[in-house]
Amino acid sequence: MSTQSRSESYAAAGVDITAGYKAVELMKKHIAKTMTEGVCSDVGGFGGLFELDITGMTRPVLVSGTDGVGTKLKMAFLMDKHDTVGIDCVAMCVNDIICSGAKPLFFLDYIACGKNFPEKIADIVKGVCEGCVQSGAALIGGETAEMPGFYPIDEYDLAGYCTGIVDKSKIIDNKKMESGDVVIALSSSGVHSNGFSLVRKVFDVENADIKAPCDALGGKSIGETLLTPTKIYVKPVLALLEKVEVKGISHITGGGFYENIPRSIPDGLGARIERSAVRVLPIFDLIAKTGNIDERDMFNTFNMGVGMSIVVAEKDVDTALEILHANGEDAYVIGKIVESEDKITIV
């Protein structure tokens, strides 16, 4: 990558090419932590190269996912904290592809900003790299686009893309799910990256003191709590898949329980969720109380403390819980699969 390139005319229009070079230099040390054996290229090329290792696979299938962080970014702007939203970006992608049983291989990010502040961009990518480390993916490429007049000078958008791999015979497709199977919850770390348009309205975050300690949140501020990065479930789930037949996985994102859990359940069956079993986090109680939001809307918007649900046979429940607990997950049973025309019922 040349550092001699500079256009005074372009700079006068608001685009500083040299700031991009500085940002890349600052982020290189973070990117280095994500490198895996398959990486065949360095940062700065026109494309990221990755060599597939399909040892032991008979019919390898690539699984891809892409997502952003949504209006949670507004919280990062207000808190002036930019080193965690990258974790959210990775999480929203890798948590999706693990639902098919795929192991993440590599990740690419895209940052669009009103002005390239190299230190801020490096902080964002630092978070992306942390998410990649947590999921075992390599950050093999990305793009930072400085777009003056399109984005406000202090704001940016962030999106990502990941690719994983799974042997075709091991794809999780719910075909073996049956009545009597058990639904296991994996606890979330908080609101994750969904429902923030409603959250921001409820707390009036642009005008409220979101940095003040909040008793309902154990002394943490609303801003700090809302910025808690999305939990990445890849490694615990991969460990589970090695020992237990998993019949369905749902990543609980926008649309909450009602939209996401049914996505992993075949026609003729439904999930019967025990409301009393769900360990609702304090932030959701505070959102509901402050916004006067009824319980169904809460479960139809937020994860409510459950970031992922996993369906296994009843005989495998104890083993599954043991493996998940051993891998650091707060996992517990929240319901069963029953014969039903309704894909989900919360009772």
Side-chain angles (χ1 to χ4, degrees):
M1 179 185 295
S2 171
T3 58
Q4 295 179 316
S5 173
R6 177 174 175 79
S7 168
E8 296 297 338
S9 298
Y10 211 5
V15 178
D16 185 354
I17 298 172
T18 59
Y21 298 146
K22 183 177 179 181
V24 171
E25 289 303 314
L26 291 173
M27 65 178 72
K28 277 185 175 180
K29 63 181 179 181
H30 304 303
I31 296 172
K33 297 176 183 177
T34 75
M35 293 297 98
T36 60
E37 290 184 5
V39 179
C40 301
S41 58
D42 200 359
V43 177
F46 288 100
L49 307 181
F50 194 91
E51 181 181 9
L52 284 178
D53 180 1
I54 58 173
T55 304
M57 293 189 178
T58 56
R59 299 181 68 183
V61 175
L62 297 179
V63 183
S64 299
T66 185
D67 209 337
V69 185
T71 62
K72 183 174 184 175
L73 291 177
K74 288 285 189 180
M75 302 305 304
F77 305 156
L78 291 168
M79 297 292 288
D80 193 24
K81 181 174 173 56
H82 310 281
D83 60 352
T84 61
V85 289
I87 301 175
D88 291 291
C89 188
V90 175
M92 297 307 292
C93 297
V94 297
N95 284 346
D96 274 356
I97 70 168
I98 194 65
C99 291
S100 298
K103 175 185 177 182
L105 297 174
F106 56 83
F107 191 87
L108 295 94
D109 62 7
Y110 174 78
I111 304 168
C113 57
K115 183 174 176 58
N116 187 332
F117 296 102
E119 290 77 10
K120 180 186 289 187
I121 298 299
D123 260 358
I124 297 168
V125 176
K126 177 183 177 182
V128 172
C129 293
E130 173 59 27
C132 286
V133 169
Q134 289 184 25
S135 60
L139 180 61
I140 64 170
E143 174 71 9
T144 301
E146 192 172 19
M147 301 168 66
F150 194 88
Y151 289 95
I153 191 170
D154 289 323
E155 296 192 3
Y156 56 85
D157 198 5
L158 172 63
Y161 163 87
C162 68
T163 293
I165 192 168
V166 60
D167 203 341
K168 190 170 184 178
S169 64
K170 296 182 179 180
I171 293 174
I172 300 169
D173 58 11
N174 78 27
K175 290 180 179 178
K176 295 183 179 179
M177 196 177 296
E178 58 187 2
S179 179
D181 289 341
V182 176
V183 183
I184 294 174
L186 302 189
S187 294
S188 71
S189 56
V191 182
H192 284 183
S193 299
N194 303 101
F196 271 85
S197 294
L198 177 56
V199 168
R200 288 167 40 240
K201 179 182 178 182
V202 166
F203 292 126
D204 190 20
V205 295
E206 280 81 8
N207 300 304
D209 183 4
I210 60 173
K211 296 182 180 181
C214 177
D215 290 341
L217 301 174
K220 292 179 67 175
S221 70
I222 289 175
E224 180 185 5
T225 301
L226 292 177
L227 261 189
T228 302
T230 305
K231 184 180 283 190
I232 292 175
Y233 299 99
V234 170
K235 292 181 180 179
V237 172
L238 287 176
L240 178 65
L241 293 176
E242 290 181 2
K243 300 289 181 65
V244 172
E245 181 182 44
V246 172
K247 300 186 178 185
I249 304 179
S250 291
H251 182 200
I252 314 300
T253 55
F257 277 50
Y258 285 99
E259 189 170 309
N260 291 287
I261 291 180
R263 293 167 69 179
S264 66
I265 300 174
D267 291 341
L269 296 177
R272 186 179 189 275
I273 305 298
E274 299 291 336
R275 168 62 182 85
S276 61
V278 179
R279 300 172 187 173
V280 178
L281 296 176
I283 183 61
F284 297 111
D285 289 330
L286 185 61
I287 291 170
K289 181 179 179 181
T290 306
N292 192 29
I293 303 170
D294 67 48
E295 187 166 88
R296 194 191 189 287
D297 278 357
M298 289 295 295
F299 273 89
N300 206 165
T301 306
F302 302 106
N303 68 62
M304 299 302 284
V306 179
M308 186 163 278
S309 66
I310 296 176
V311 176
V312 300
E314 188 170 21
K315 67 180 179 61
D316 292 326
V317 171
D318 290 343
T319 301
L321 291 175
E322 182 180 341
I323 293 169
L324 291 166
H325 293 160
N327 282 272
E329 287 303 318
D330 180 15
Y332 59 97
V333 173
I334 57 169
K336 282 196 170 186
I337 299 299
V338 297
E339 293 183 4
S340 174
E341 292 305 313
D342 295 323
K343 286 293 187 73
I344 182 169
T345 306
I346 301 178
V347 296

